[in-house]
């Protein structure tokens, strides 16, 4: 299989995530032409910050291959990995990372910082922009539909969450802005 075919499978997984109400991110790990791990976002469904597509795919690949070193594998993901997932990629010794859309708010493969360029004991080769327009459109469409469904959704405040009297606001749409090559 070629990079584009494997990214298309990651896009299909991202679509499954979107249909389940999750931010549409999908991930595939391949050993040559064989898919050994797949994942999609499940943070909302499982109420767990660790349920990112990349972590799910790494876990599945480790189980499939019977070890934690994925040193002959390639990871394909529709959105540039975050700091947590970039760390997991380094720890799993994945030598090659292919991503679709850049993440200007949380991306750690060059958008915010490139964690793979730091002097860790493992530095994966990066390729960004594979099916970038399709990956970015999937995310943009998801957040546009979400905003239409909840036009008057309130932003959370830390005071509401903790009751400590401080007013700190945030927004649940942390991935709403996706950068493509044309922006």
């Amino acid at each position: 299989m070629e990079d584009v075919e494997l990214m298309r499978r990651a896009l299909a997984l991202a679509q499954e995530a979107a249909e389940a109400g999750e931010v549409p991110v999908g991930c595939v790990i391949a050993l040559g032409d064989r898919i050994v791990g797949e994942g999609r976002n499940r943070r909302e469904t499982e109420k767990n910050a660790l349920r990112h597509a990349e972590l799910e795919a790494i876990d599945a690949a480790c189980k499939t291959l019977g070890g934690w070193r994925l040193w002959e594998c390639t990871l394909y993901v529709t959105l540039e990995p975050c700091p947590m997932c970039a760390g997991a990629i380094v720890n799993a010794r994945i030598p090659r990372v292919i991503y679709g859309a850049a993440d200007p708010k949380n991306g750690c493969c060059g958008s915010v910082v490139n964690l793979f360029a730091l002097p860790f004991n493992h530095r994966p080769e990066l390729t960004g922009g594979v099916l970038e327009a399709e990956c970015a459109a999937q995310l943009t469409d998801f957040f546009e539909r979400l905003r239409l469904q909840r036009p008057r959704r309130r932003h959370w405040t830390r005071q509401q969450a903790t009751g400590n009297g401080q007013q700190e606001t945030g927004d649940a749409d942390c991935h709403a802005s996706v950068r493509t090559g044309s922006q």
Side-chain angles (χ1 to χ4, degrees):
M1 285 189 202
E2 294 185 22
D3 290 348
V4 170
E5 291 176 80
L6 290 161
M7 186 62 79
R8 287 203 189 286
R9 177 62 191 146
L11 275 164
L13 291 164
Q15 183 59 39
E16 289 177 19
E19 290 167 3
E22 299 282 348
V23 173
V25 179
C27 184
V28 169
I29 297 178
L31 177 61
D33 288 343
R34 180 177 152 219
I35 293 174
V36 294
E38 294 184 337
R40 65 174 183 82
N41 271 0
R42 297 178 198 268
R43 289 188 316 172
E44 299 299 327
T45 306
E46 296 189 17
K47 307 293 186 226
N48 187 330
L50 301 177
R51 302 305 290 165
H52 285 214
E54 297 95 324
L55 297 183
E56 191 171 279
I58 290 169
D59 184 54
C62 289
K63 288 175 180 169
T64 298
L65 298 174
W68 62 269
R69 290 179 187 91
L70 303 177
W71 61 279
E72 294 181 302
C73 295
T74 300
L75 183 142
Y76 299 83
V77 63
T78 58
L79 182 64
E80 180 181 4
C82 72
M84 176 176 64
C85 294
I89 290 164
V90 168
N91 281 300
R93 309 296 195 269
I94 297 171
R96 187 167 175 239
V97 175
I98 312 287
Y99 67 89
D103 184 350
K105 293 184 177 185
N106 206 30
C108 285
C109 297
S111 289
V112 174
V113 67
N114 184 354
L115 289 181
F116 299 151
L118 296 176
F120 293 113
N121 61 335
H122 178 73
R123 293 187 192 115
E125 172 191 326
L126 284 173
T127 303
V130 175
L131 298 180
E132 179 179 27
E134 292 175 50
C135 293
Q138 193 175 49
L139 286 155
T140 300
D141 292 348
F142 173 80
F143 284 109
E144 284 175 0
R145 283 192 310 273
L146 188 64
R147 285 185 194 100
L148 288 173
Q149 291 170 2
R150 300 187 218 163
R152 294 193 164 265
R153 185 171 47 137
R154 294 180 60 200
H155 295 285
W156 61 269
T157 64
R158 187 168 303 272
Q159 181 181 16
Q160 290 170 331
T162 64
N164 67 6
Q166 296 177 338
Q167 283 284 358
E168 185 176 330
T169 62
D171 190 349
D173 290 343
C174 63
H175 292 291
S177 173
V178 176
R179 182 176 58 206
T180 64
S182 62
Q183 293 180 325

